[in-house]
Amino acid sequence: MLQAGVGHFWGTSLPVGGESTHDKEHDGELIETLQAYLDCDKSANKAAEKLYVNYRPLSGRLKIIRDISGIDFKNSAEMLAVRNGIVLFKMAETL
């Protein structure tokens, strides 16, 4: 379940105004992974192909995303909030 509250990105525990510490240290791979996963209709195999990575590292990234954010990938309302959050995040990066 997503944690609501001020100071959180998308209503999750990812910090506002930037990526998680892990993402900063790994060139934004978590946001990129999450976007690819959602773009591929939550298919880890297709997302791995899209990102040109093996399935195992992609699965590891998805686990890190779940651990950091508490996202429930089976909850459609959360997935909509996450997708909207990614759009807003990318818009904020361009400002």
Side-chain angles (χ1 to χ4, degrees):
M1 180 159 140
L2 292 177
Q3 302 167 353
V6 177
H8 289 85
F9 182 58
W10 316 327
T12 70
S13 60
L14 292 176
V16 172
E19 302 134 302
S20 70
T21 303
H22 180 279
D23 228 23
K24 286 179 184 176
E25 293 170 357
H26 294 91
D27 298 322
E29 74 181 12
L30 296 182
I31 298 293
E32 181 182 357
T33 298
L34 184 56
Q35 183 170 9
Y37 181 68
L38 294 175
D39 289 347
C40 293
D41 296 322
K42 299 189 289 182
S43 168
N45 286 327
K46 288 179 184 176
E49 288 177 21
K50 180 176 182 171
L51 295 172
Y52 303 105
V53 298
N54 192 305
Y55 172 82
R56 283 190 165 197
L58 186 115
S59 291
R61 292 179 196 174
L62 291 173
K63 183 183 179 327
I64 291 168
I65 291 167
R66 269 192 300 272
D67 292 347
I68 290 172
S69 67
I71 292 172
D72 177 2
F73 289 116
K74 294 179 183 175
N75 183 318
S76 60
E78 285 187 29
M79 292 299 90
L80 177 60
V82 168
R83 185 168 295 280
N84 290 339
I86 290 171
V87 170
L88 293 172
F89 178 75
K90 295 209 176 234
M91 287 174 59
E93 279 187 325
T94 62
L95 297 177

